[in-house]
Amino acid sequence: MKKLNQNVKGVLCLPITESAEKKIGDVGKLEATTIKNGLVFMKSEMSAIEVVETLEGLKDIVEELYGTLANASGICKGCDCTAETEDAVNIKLPNFILKEAGIPKDAKLCAYTNDESGEVTVMEAEYKHDLSDISKGTLQVLKEMGVCMPGLNECLMSEKAIYGK
């Protein structure tokens, strides 16, 4: 892991139980790696088997998080809603039109139609996240699990807590 020289903004103090110390070993030899929305502590030196055991532990955590997404989003039961939902979140307009409308170029867009005139109105969305924020690889895994894409999109747009509640 790379070392960063940065100003310290605070101190994190973790109680170490005997059982945790038996699993980890010398807690003075831990390094912390920051990830989006988390912090991972690992031994700073590991043998091959320790790396494998660490990977297996991380796999368990990843599986739990995927399961959390699946439970919150629901499972598709033979519907073909995926493509329609993905198309709906990929609305793009040229930058000059966004500028004229006063919409930031990185803003999420949504659209609706007027049934009478057939006009389509595109505007800045009121939400921050949707399916377009998820990598193609992660989306593919979720689809293979049968996760309902419209349900997942709703979870993303609502920003409600789905883990640890």
Side-chain angles (χ1 to χ4, degrees):
M1 302 291 154
K2 61 183 177 182
K3 294 185 180 193
L4 300 174
N5 293 323
Q6 297 182 6
N7 293 334
V8 175
K9 295 199 104 176
V11 177
L12 177 65
C13 182
L14 299 172
I16 305 297
T17 62
E18 284 184 28
S19 63
E21 191 168 33
K22 284 180 185 176
K23 286 183 182 179
I24 299 168
D26 183 359
V27 295
K29 294 183 178 180
L30 290 177
E31 64 183 23
T33 304
T34 56
I35 58 174
K36 270 196 173 186
N37 305 307
L39 185 61
V40 178
F41 288 98
M42 296 185 298
K43 293 169 69 173
S44 56
E45 293 182 4
M46 292 187 271
S47 66
I49 191 64
E50 290 171 325
V51 170
V52 168
E53 292 166 345
T54 302
L55 286 169
E56 289 172 349
L58 291 170
K59 180 180 151 284
D60 293 342
I61 293 168
V62 168
E63 287 174 355
E64 179 185 346
L65 293 172
Y66 273 120
T68 298
L69 274 175
N71 289 335
S73 305
I75 302 296
C76 278
K77 295 175 176 75
C79 65
D80 190 27
C81 55
T82 301
E84 183 179 314
T85 303
E86 289 182 45
D87 287 345
V89 299
N90 287 316
I91 300 170
K92 304 286 183 219
L93 291 175
N95 286 341
F96 74 90
I97 291 177
L98 293 172
K99 187 175 181 179
E100 273 184 41
I103 298 173
K105 65 181 177 182
D106 59 345
K108 302 278 183 200
L109 302 175
C110 63
Y112 64 91
T113 58
N114 181 321
D115 291 335
E116 293 174 15
S117 69
E119 289 180 337
V120 176
T121 302
V122 178
M123 60 188 197
E124 185 173 359
E126 294 180 3
Y127 52 85
K128 295 178 187 174
H129 302 286
D130 60 27
L131 290 177
S132 67
D133 295 309
I134 300 178
S135 72
K136 289 181 182 183
T138 299
L139 270 178
Q140 187 59 40
V141 169
L142 292 168
K143 287 177 194 174
E144 289 170 7
M145 291 174 59
V147 172
C148 178
M149 292 296 113
L152 177 57
N153 199 46
E154 287 297 319
C155 286
L156 292 165
M157 290 172 18
S158 75
E159 297 187 52
K160 291 180 185 170
I162 63 166
Y163 178 83
K165 55 180 183 167

